[in-house]
Amino acid sequence: MSALLGLYEEIKHCQKCEIAKDRTKAVPGEGAEDADIMFIGEAPGWHEDQQGRPFVGPAGQFLDELLALINLKREQVYITNVIKTRPPVNRDPLPQEILNCRPWLDRQIELIRPRMIVTLGRYSMALFFPGKSISKIHGTAQKWDGIIYYAMYHPAAALHQQRLRETIKADMRRIPELLAQAKSIPEEKQETPPQQSSMFEV
Ligand code: URA
């Protein structure tokens, strides 16, 4: 069994949070083990909980469309979430749930070693760009320790606010150019990205 599949088994059995009791399936993540790009969403919704796969509902359909804009299929990238279990009635993830799930995400990043991490929405953004506001930093990239971090709005935001659709598409279209010009993106001074999420500052 690959290290990634072993990790999925651990995630499926994790009971650190109360919400684990009510899930249909945990949603560890999926995609290419050697993906260049890792997309990190917020939390599984109803469809994801049923299937055990990330972004398979309406937001996922839009994510597939966004990937097609840059000639990628979901099998060529890696897709996961900040937390791996659906919160009841799709409430926001709690700070403790985010902390409990963080080691899984860190191990996924270690195993995949993506060249670029794309945060989808503010919960994911807050892990890597603490204190920043998504309306200010979407579509901008920073580099730490050789990985490009790029913040985008959550695809579901476009389902509720039509005016964001073109913004999200434009941000997606920048990804190939950023990867191609990775060397020219300035490296931030700190050696690793911030580890603490500060949800109350976003
Ligand atoms: N929204 C997310 O953040 N993640 C999913 O997997 C589905 C919807």
Side-chain angles (χ1 to χ4, degrees), residues 104 107 111:
W104 303 131
R107 280 171 64 191
L111 290 169

Side-chain angles (χ1 to χ4, degrees), residues 27 41-45 48 53-57 59-60 79-81 120 154 156:
V27 183
E42 180 177 317
E48 291 76 23
R53 299 179 55 210
F55 281 96
V56 288
I79 305 174
T80 188
N81 283 302
L120 299 174
H154 195 288

